[in-house]
Amino acid sequence: MQPGLFLGYVGLTQNLIAAIPVQDSTGTPKDPPIAPNYRIYNGENVMSNGTGTLAKLDVQNVTAASNATPIRITTGSDHNLQTGNRVIIVDVLGNTAANGEFTITRISATEFDLDGSVGSGTYDSGGVIHVAGLYSITHNIVGGDGFEAGKVYDLLVTFTISAVVYSQVHKFQVV
Amino acid sequence: MFFGRYTQGQFVMIEVVAVDGNNVAFSPATAAFFKVYDSGGSTLFSSLMVPLDKSGATGLFSFPLRLDASYPVGQYNVSLMYDSFLQAGGFEVVGGGDQDGAVISQHHYERPQSANLVQRLDSDQRILGRNPGV
């Protein structure tokens, strides 16, 4: 599991923008059932308006899911994924066996196979692909919430996977 | 991992050590792979990475990312993937610099009609100037 990160520098009135990896105890990237939460501390207290929820990063749409073994996913544009990457697919209608967590095998820029999958029907519509465990934070840093230039703040990220609560602490500096 | 603050034209050295769930470095089955996202989450660039120092380091990969015009001032996220594992990072582009990069070599030659200076930039562009002043 990746240890705490230094997320970089952010100016007052700017957005803190950072990618946060979410993994279980084996280091496997996971999408928790409930999106990870975050809290920002100044070393003593939670900052005013300093809480929120992480958003999924790297999300794209499915345009086809073959009724085959394994299921071949087609995307409308370059999916930019490689063999071995883990993805979470939801909301596929028709070929619902394409929904779930998979390791992929890249076929082309717009196709990849879901390892170990078996098609369950003809693809109807829908489907969203997310790179497993890849989240991001966007938080507006304003002086009115108590942020001060020159200070380093802690970002606590918490999430639950299979009834186990995980926590990460990252840092950033306001400039 | 914060890769640092840069200006346009500079190179960001994207690096990752492939580690397993116990933070032990290993050589993945395929090369590590990274993607760069803008502040809106759109993918700007992606590439496989090159193994670095194979005789001295295990699982170390790198890629020199040149900050051209695709990278205006702002913050960028990076995902790094190898086998089924994931790491994340980011970098910031600050004001200043030139999207074409810095001069890395130049050649001066004289002609009857003018003095000439040919410069090569690290974006591989060539610039021709005449009668350079001091």
Side-chain angles (χ1 to χ4, degrees):
Chain A
M1 182 182 300
Q2 191 171 9
L5 304 169
F6 176 64
L7 303 178
Y9 306 94
V10 58
L12 279 173
T13 74
Q14 285 186 330
N15 282 328
L16 169 66
I17 298 173
I20 306 291
V22 172
Q23 301 142 326
D24 64 11
S25 59
T26 67
T28 302
K30 294 282 188 181
D31 281 4
I34 300 175
N37 290 317
Y38 69 85
R39 297 164 73 87
I40 301 176
Y41 298 84
N42 64 0
E44 296 177 341
N45 303 300
V46 179
M47 302 301 294
S48 177
N49 296 315
T51 62
T53 303
L54 300 186
K56 291 181 179 179
L57 180 61
D58 201 336
V59 176
Q60 49 194 312
N61 294 324
V62 173
T63 59
S66 68
N67 184 18
T69 302
I71 298 171
R72 179 158 297 178
I73 298 294
T74 304
T75 57
S77 58
D78 192 342
H79 53 69
N80 288 301
L81 296 171
Q82 296 292 319
T83 297
N85 294 162
R86 289 191 66 78
V87 299
I88 310 290
I89 300 180
V90 298
D91 298 337
V92 170
L93 300 177
N95 190 359
T96 57
N99 295 316
E101 185 177 332
F102 302 94
T103 299
I104 72 158
T105 296
R106 177 188 173 99
I107 303 301
S108 70
T110 56
E111 294 176 313
F112 58 85
D113 288 345
L114 305 179
D115 296 352
S117 64
V118 178
S120 63
T122 302
Y123 173 76
D124 185 10
S125 64
V128 177
I129 306 160
H130 176 230
V131 172
L134 186 60
Y135 288 81
S136 67
I137 178 175
T138 301
H139 188 93
N140 193 225
I141 304 298
V142 294
D145 289 336
F147 290 99
E148 298 178 43
K151 288 196 172 180
V152 177
Y153 296 85
D154 296 316
L155 176 74
L156 174 68
V157 175
T158 58
F159 50 91
T160 302
I161 299 174
S162 301
V164 177
V165 180
Y166 296 86
S167 295
Q168 306 170 343
V169 176
H170 309 291
K171 290 185 180 293
F172 65 94
Q173 184 171 19
V174 176
V175 294
Chain B
M1 177 192 307
F2 184 61
F3 292 105
R5 310 173 91 182
Y6 303 86
T7 59
Q8 272 194 347
Q10 289 187 307
F11 286 84
V12 181
M13 191 56 70
I14 306 293
E15 292 183 339
V16 67
V17 175
V19 295
D20 61 17
N22 296 312
N23 274 326
V24 175
F26 72 101
S27 295
T30 55
F33 176 74
F34 80 99
K35 299 173 74 171
V36 180
Y37 311 90
D38 64 14
S39 59
S42 298
T43 301
L44 291 177
F45 183 82
S46 63
S47 176
L48 291 167
M49 302 172 74
V50 178
L52 188 64
D53 190 17
K54 286 194 285 186
S55 62
T58 299
L60 179 62
F61 294 86
S62 72
F63 187 93
L65 177 69
R66 199 177 80 79
L67 300 177
D68 58 20
S70 303
Y71 299 92
V73 171
Q75 294 170 301
Y76 298 85
N77 286 325
V78 179
S79 64
L80 304 118
M81 291 173 272
Y82 47 90
D83 287 357
S84 63
F85 296 98
L86 170 71
Q87 294 189 35
F91 61 90
E92 182 180 3
V93 177
V94 298
D98 188 298
Q99 66 188 40
D100 294 325
V103 175
I104 58 174
S105 65
Q106 61 184 21
H107 176 70
H108 171 262
Y109 63 96
E110 295 280 348
R111 290 291 182 270
Q113 63 273 27
S114 65
N116 301 278
L117 195 64
V118 179
Q119 294 178 325
R120 179 182 178 185
L121 308 181
D122 57 24
S123 60
D124 212 30
Q125 289 189 51
R126 306 295 195 272
I127 295 178
L128 172 64
R130 287 183 177 179
N131 297 323
V134 174

